[in-house]
């Protein structure tokens, strides 16, 4: 999400600074806020825990040329439309750092569904005896296991997977759902994504967890023979699902 000039500065080893905005938002407004600021050059969004039930702390990053007054006004408008009290918004300027290492500090092991225990690949905790471990390094792909849609998809898999199923995970991201499907006993699992980087991440995660009978490819469901899949997963945005629904 860097501009060409910002990337050039980084290539020369020069330190970059970012405007940081922090606010606590109701969970049901989180997606609306992130969508609203997507046109304002947001460089990064970090969900930094839950200060209290029903609230998420959002940390938003913008370049130093961003119009923070306009951004804060647009955020406040969302609260006004939903008849919520406007949030306290704090600003700061932060220096560039190793963002991946900073994020790793907040990503720790946790249970998902009735059967699984997600473990970051760089940790080695003891897995509860009544759960199956899924070791994940999401890299730059979607699928840490913390998002509500991923957790709901895993809960659905726990109910619907059958041993004879040939499963297709469309837009597989990190491959976490493909791994879960195989560990639940699916006969064969195929995971695809249109992003080659995500396919590489998924392949690595599959090798960590379920090396047999799980395959990846770069592409979408259009590459798959009709009527060859017993269960199809598409943990995507609503717009993408609507566009792909007839194909599914």
């Amino acid at each position: 999400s860097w501009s060409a000039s910002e990337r050039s500065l980084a290539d020369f080893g020069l330190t970059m600074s970012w405007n940081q905005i922090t606010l606590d938002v109701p969970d049901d407004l989180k997606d609306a806020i992130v969508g609203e600021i997507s046109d304002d050059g947001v460089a990064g969004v970090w969900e930094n825990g839950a200060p209290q039930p029903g609230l998420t702390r959002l940390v938003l990053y913008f370049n130093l040329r961003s119009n923070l007054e306009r951004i804060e006004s647009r955020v406040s408008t969302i609260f006004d439309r939903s008849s919520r009290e406007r949030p306290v918004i704090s600003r700061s300027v932060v220096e560039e750092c190793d963002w991946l290492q900073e994020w790793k500090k907040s990503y720790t092991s946790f249970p998902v569904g009735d059967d699984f225990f997600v473990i970051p690949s760089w940790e080695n905790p003891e897995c509860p005896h009544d759960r199956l471990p899924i070791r994940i390094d999401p890299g730059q792909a979607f699928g840490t296991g913390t998002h509500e849609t991923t957790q709901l998809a895993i809960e659905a898999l726990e109910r619907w997977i059958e041993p004879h199923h040939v499963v297709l995970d469309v837009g597989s991201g990190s491959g976490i759902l493909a791994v879960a499907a195989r560990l639940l006993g699916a006969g064969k699992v195929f995971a695809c994504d249109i992003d080659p980087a995500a396919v590489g991440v998924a392949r690595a995660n599959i090798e960590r967890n379920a090396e047999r009978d799980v395959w990846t490819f770069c592409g979408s469901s259009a590459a798959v023979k009709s009527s060859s899949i017993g269960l199809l997963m598409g943990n995507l945005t609503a717009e993408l699902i609507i566009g792909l629904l007839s194909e599914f």
Side-chain angles (χ1 to χ4, degrees):
S1 58
W2 289 358
S3 68
S5 59
E6 289 165 340
R7 190 178 299 278
S8 298
L9 287 172
D11 290 341
F12 281 106
L14 300 180
T15 300
M16 296 169 58
S17 298
W18 302 92
N19 280 320
Q20 175 181 288
I21 293 178
T22 304
L23 68 158
D24 296 338
V25 303
D27 290 341
D28 61 321
L29 295 184
K30 181 172 57 179
D31 290 343
I33 290 170
V34 174
E36 185 72 22
I37 63 172
S38 62
D39 294 332
D40 285 303
V42 61
V45 179
W46 179 24
E47 294 183 17
N48 186 18
Q52 64 185 68
L55 287 180
T56 295
R57 178 156 295 162
L58 288 183
V59 184
L60 313 171
Y61 296 94
F62 302 86
N63 66 47
L64 296 182
R65 297 184 298 276
S66 298
N67 187 333
L68 297 186
E69 286 76 14
R70 183 182 67 182
I71 293 167
E72 292 183 11
S73 175
R74 295 179 69 173
V75 169
S76 296
T77 298
I78 294 176
F79 280 78
D80 294 343
R81 287 201 302 258
S82 62
S83 301
R84 309 286 183 87
E85 182 179 351
R86 291 188 177 187
V88 175
I89 300 176
S90 62
R91 296 185 192 178
S92 60
V93 176
V94 297
E95 299 299 323
E96 183 66 82
C97 67
D98 189 333
W99 299 107
L100 180 58
Q101 291 303 318
E102 289 298 310
W103 170 78
K104 283 183 175 182
K105 295 176 183 178
S106 64
Y107 182 49
T108 59
S109 304
F110 58 96
V112 175
D114 294 327
D115 297 307
F116 295 108
F117 192 68
V118 176
I119 302 173
S121 63
W122 54 90
E123 288 191 351
N124 191 31
E126 183 176 349
C127 180
H129 71 278
D130 58 343
R131 288 182 176 270
L132 299 170
I134 299 181
R135 300 185 181 277
I136 290 290
D137 186 342
Q140 297 182 23
F142 177 81
T144 61
T146 57
H147 196 276
E148 292 87 345
T149 61
T150 306
Q151 295 182 10
L152 288 168
I154 287 176
E155 291 174 10
L157 285 175
E158 291 174 334
R159 294 194 296 271
W160 286 96
I161 283 289
E162 297 181 13
H164 66 275
H165 273 151
V166 177
V167 176
L168 175 64
D169 182 10
V170 179
S172 57
S174 71
I176 187 171
L177 295 182
V179 168
R182 182 69 186 100
L183 293 178
L184 287 168
K188 295 181 179 179
V189 181
F190 296 87
C192 64
D193 203 293
I194 61 173
D195 181 358
V199 174
V201 170
R203 182 71 253 166
N205 285 321
I206 289 166
E207 291 175 355
R208 288 187 181 96
N209 294 277
E211 295 185 19
R212 295 181 52 210
D213 299 321
V214 186
W215 295 269
T216 59
F217 65 92
C218 190
S220 189
S221 52
V224 180
K225 182 180 178 180
S226 295
S227 304
S228 61
I229 299 300
L231 189 147
L232 185 146
M233 301 182 287
N235 185 21
L236 307 165
T237 64
E239 292 79 9
L240 284 174
I241 292 172
I242 291 170
L244 290 168
L245 194 55
S246 61
E247 185 176 307
F248 286 176

